Amino acid sequence: MQDNFCRQNRRMLRNKVLIISVLLGFFLLLFASASAIIAPPQDNKKLSGDTLRRVLPVDSLSMKPKKKKQQIDDIINYQAEDSIVFYGNGTGYMYGKSDLKYQKMSLAEAAYIRMNMDSSLVYASAKKDSTGALVGKPIFKDESNEFTSNDLRYNFNSKRGLIHHTVTQQGEGFVVSETSKITPDKMINMIDGKYTTCEDHEHPHFYLQMTKAKVKPKSFIVAGPAYLVLEDVPLPIALPFGYFPFNDKYSSGVIMPSYGDDFTRGFNLHNGGYYFALSDYVDLALTGEIYTKGTWALNGASSYVKRYKYRGNFNFSYRNDVFSEKGMPDYSSSKSMSLQWSHSQDSKSNPYSRLSGSVNFSTTSFNRNNIDNVYNVSVMSQNTKTSSINFTKSFPENSWTITANANVTQVTSDTTINMTLPTLSVASGTLYPFKRKVAVGKERWYEKLVLNYTGDFSNSIQTKEYKLLKSSLSRDWRNGAKHNISANASFSLFNYITITPSFNYTERWYMRKINQRWDDARNAVARDTTTGFFRSYNFSGSLSAQTTLYGFYVPSRKIFGDKIDRIRHVFVPSFSFSFNPDFSDPIWGSYSTYSKYVAATASHAAYQETVKYSPFESEIYGYAGAGKSGAIGYSFTNNIEMKVKQKSDTTDLPVYKVVSLIDNLSISGSYNLVADSLRWSLINANLRIKMPFSNNFTLNVGGTFDPYMYGLNSSGQPVHVDRLRWNHGKLPRFMGTSFSQSFTLNNDTFKKKSSKEKDKDKEREKRLAPLTGADLLNPELVMKHKQDSIAEQKKNEKRDLDADGYVKPTFKWSVSANYGVQYGQSTFNYQKMDYNMGLTHSLSFNGTLSPTPKWNANWSATYSFSDKKLTQVNLSITRDLHCWSMSAQIVPVGYYTSYSFKIAVKSSLLQDLKYEKRSNYGENVKWE
């Protein structure tokens, strides 16, 4: 037993030693592994004892891993339409219309985005759909760039990127590059780039192919060698370098000139200069012209605008034109100028004060010498120019109005100029001086009295252009003031007759008068001008009576049936009596006299003749008339309408329509009670008829009839004699009339619309009419009007499409004609002792033709029946070529026969990219 016990003890001791050995080996292995983690191997060499001693004392639990450098400094916002996948290595994938935003950088609409958080790299690209087209092109945007590309790589930290097939808009144009590189200085370097102003930038109609270029967004493009490509065909037009500035801000810059060649003035550069952006409200463009034979010109143009206040533009030009060369027989030199100014005020800015101006003043030779006007028929054929400036101030509290005007009229054919500078007018509203403020009972008769006052001041001159600046204000200019006071009232007599008495007083103030005397030495009238303050006045009174009579006629039912219900005749007779004294009578002091010696002739002896005259005959507001007048006036106005039965409505009640047969037929004239002869005046007649086939066509005809016969005076000239034609069995003689009528036909003329469609059109016009007055201050109305306009525009666009979604073919045309007739007295027939009648008439046409929305043709022609030929024909054709425009103008008949052709880029940035051909100025236009 003792041996067994000893064997068991030895076995237990051996197991303990084995367990201790295993535990010791395990701990040694653990320490060795810890030292290998804490102290990485050095070049794969074994650790020495010293190294081990350095490693073993280290507490591995107290060690912290070394931090890596942070690559992302801000929050990244991202989303994807399809899915988002992240991996543990810091890489993320987004699929389907993905958006990513980091600080000021954003990627949008990308079909695929891959982002590496550790390297701050992002990659985005498009993908092909089932048809093979690229969809989901990434749109990149930061503080300076915005473009669309097929794919791109971008580093958040370095701000560098590499893009393929970039499309970016810079100013008015588009830049397309196959390979581009973004640099930290916000520049884009590209190769194989395209620059175009065509909106279809993927397949542009034209572009500049740039071998290499550098783009500073919103600033400029600098390109190396470039050449022009038109419809994908390279042209032999190259540029060694190019600079394309663009800026979305208001800035100044150089205006590049255009070149040309003129037969009489030589090679030229014109319309070049500098543009000054003075402020957000006003600008200034200074341009000039220079020719090799000495001609030069300076031009200044400015536009200004103040929103909700006013807007306008101003242009001034001065020219020194030299034709041919010195020493040549056709050499000439002339100076000319032009001033144009237009100003309009917003009606909302001040409803009681308004300023407007339209000035078009130039010397006679300016249009003839300006090369820009030579082929403009409307400008060159303009014989009269008018300018005006108007200011109106009203006072609503007392109904007074002040108006100031300045007017200039030029006749270029003889250099005559009529200038009125200024005209001031003060007018009262309707004044009731005796009307009670608080009326009690019926209106008194004196309360019906109405007063009106008008005061005018004017200063004018008529002279030649070269004399205008040399004229004298006191002797050459006509100036003065006029006051007019009128009073009237209206009373009812027997409840059917309206009686209206009236009184009118006019007084004129002048600063000079011209006295006349007979100069025996010269046997002529001598005139002496006296300055000072002088007045001339006159007055008149009148009394009128008017009533209205109605007559009805029912046509015979046996003949006309019940279609015509009745015919109504409205007859308005009016009679008046007017009187004014003879202001040439000495008691009024308005006229003066001088004695004139008349030498003896074979028919009479010498005698002294007293001549009566007014010292104010040449003044601006005239003078009091000579001769007493007491006239009875008459006027008969007629209107005839017919009431026609229409189809019955749903209630079986008859429906009637009123048709106008004669809208107006009036006859008027007067009889002078105090005249010694020729007491009857001319008889005036007017006829107005509304045509039944068109509501917009109205026939207006007027004529004059003479009640007296003709005779010959002592000089053998035809004059009226005091013999009435109806006393000799003749009707009053028709003296003539003038008639002018125009009408327009277009592709909508013969389209018939139902009454419902017409009502809808009227309702639409009323709903879409521009807002005015207080409606503009109502935001709800403004918003609703805007929404209605947008909805109507979309409806029109949808209406222009057929069932398959294609644009309907349209053929728009318009023809307008104007026919003018003048029929009147021409030459005197001494055998019949009456005037012969003559007829002159002319016919003019103009029209437009648009076979497609892109083509447009305009033409005009005038035919003179007296000359029996076309006097003027003008034809112009324009074609919209998307990013280009083409135009041609031909004047085959007329004084200014010419032709011109032009094709040019629409964009103002490339306005010099054009081809222009026109007839020679010196050969095609002749001047008298």
Side-chain angles (χ1 to χ4, degrees), residues 332-380:
S332 64
S333 176
S334 66
K335 295 179 174 60
S336 58
M337 58 81 66
S338 171
L339 174 64
Q340 294 179 330
W341 176 60
S342 65
H343 178 90
S344 61
Q345 179 178 314
D346 195 319
S347 59
K348 301 183 292 296
S349 62
N350 191 340
Y352 306 116
S353 179
R354 185 171 183 84
L355 174 65
S356 62
S358 177
V359 176
N360 181 17
F361 178 86
S362 65
T363 55
T364 304
S365 60
F366 181 83
N367 288 338
R368 183 173 69 241
N369 296 335
N370 190 353
I371 194 172
D372 293 329
N373 296 334
V374 169
Y375 300 99
N376 191 333
V377 177
S378 62
V379 174
M380 298 303 295

Side-chain angles (χ1 to χ4, degrees), residues 13 31 50 62 71 77 207 311 313 374 498 526 705 726 739 791 800 874 890:
L13 179 63
F31 279 105
D50 294 337
S62 65
Q71 300 293 327
N77 297 310
Y207 58 88
R311 64 175 59 246
N313 57 73
V374 169
T498 302
F705 296 85
W726 53 68
F739 168 76
D800 295 336
N874 192 353
I890 305 173

Side-chain angles (χ1 to χ4, degrees), residues 534-568:
F534 308 100
R535 54 189 292 266
S536 172
Y537 63 93
N538 64 282
F539 56 85
S540 62
S542 65
L543 179 67
S544 64
Q546 177 180 304
T547 188
T548 303
L549 303 176
Y550 298 90
F552 295 92
Y553 170 72
V554 179
S556 173
R557 300 302 183 195
K558 296 180 180 180
I559 300 176
F560 298 98
D562 61 349
K563 184 70 175 178
I564 301 176
D565 181 73
R566 65 189 61 197
I567 296 175
R568 187 183 73 167

